[in-house]
Amino acid sequence: MAFLMNQMLGDKLKSFTGGGEDSGKTEAVGKETAESKGMSREEFEEYQRQLVEEKIQRDKDFAIRKAERANLRVALRDKYRLPDNEVCTTFQMAGDDIDLPEELAKMVDEDEEEEETNDSFLKKLQNLDVDTLKTKAQATVTEIKQTAEDKCTLM
């Protein structure tokens, strides 16, 4: 009951009696002040400046990471020949300023080299004449049979 009465009449009583607050404080409620942090005015200004600098640095780092991810997406799209996504325009905004991390670039280069070696082997297989290969294999098998017959009296 006392709680309900305090809620209903509390504000009116505080304004009537002054509420025990300093009349010199005209700052907005919820806003940080030097007094609320227990600092002098110079320390508080330095603190605010540091907060702003840290926020700018975080935003800058985030933009760099975002551009690196976009660059990686483009590299992977090129590598695996995937279609471009119209939603991702971050890479065009970043331009050539952002590069792949060195380790990732090495991994991509190694994968490309492996693909090139695999491609060259497949190209050799495609260029190989199957009929000639078949005749060579049959000739080798008959030659092995003849040498086996010559050496073995049971056959």
Side-chain angles (χ1 to χ4, degrees):
M1 184 75 166
F3 175 73
L4 183 60
M5 294 298 284
N6 188 15
Q7 288 286 29
M8 291 173 58
L9 301 174
D11 292 332
K12 294 179 183 176
L13 288 174
K14 284 182 183 177
S15 65
F16 180 69
T17 59
E21 297 180 10
D22 287 340
S23 59
K25 290 185 180 180
T26 58
E27 297 281 333
V29 177
K31 188 174 180 183
E32 291 183 345
T33 62
E35 293 83 24
S36 68
K37 291 287 189 179
M39 302 178 189
S40 69
R41 185 178 185 125
E42 294 82 23
E43 291 173 338
F44 185 70
E45 288 175 358
E46 181 64 27
Y47 171 73
Q48 291 293 332
R49 217 177 352 246
Q50 286 176 352
L51 288 178
V52 170
E53 289 173 3
E54 289 173 0
K55 184 180 183 324
I56 291 170
Q57 185 63 36
R58 281 194 310 269
D59 291 344
K60 185 178 177 182
D61 291 342
F62 177 74
I64 290 171
R65 283 193 306 270
K66 190 174 179 180
E68 287 174 349
R69 286 192 297 265
N71 194 8
L72 176 62
R73 277 194 300 273
V74 169
L76 290 175
R77 280 193 194 112
D78 290 343
K79 178 179 178 184
Y80 294 110
R81 297 176 185 94
L82 298 173
D84 288 338
N85 187 356
E86 293 178 14
V87 176
C88 181
T89 58
T90 309
F91 181 70
Q92 286 85 14
M93 292 183 344
D96 294 331
D97 295 339
I98 305 300
D99 292 330
L100 284 175
E102 293 178 18
E103 297 171 359
L104 186 58
K106 288 179 185 176
M107 290 172 49
V108 169
D109 290 339
E110 290 172 0
D111 288 344
E112 288 177 356
E113 289 173 6
E114 288 177 11
E115 287 179 4
E116 288 174 3
T117 58
N118 291 341
D119 287 343
S120 63
F121 177 71
L122 290 175
K123 287 178 183 177
K124 287 179 183 177
L125 282 179
Q126 289 174 349
N127 294 336
L128 188 63
D129 188 19
V130 178
D131 293 329
T132 7
L133 184 62
K134 187 176 180 181
T135 55
K136 285 182 183 179
Q138 287 175 346
T140 308
V141 169
T142 55
E143 185 181 319
I144 291 173
K145 281 184 182 179
Q146 288 176 355
T147 54
E149 287 175 0
D150 292 342
K151 291 183 180 180
C152 183
T153 57
L154 293 176
M155 292 181 94

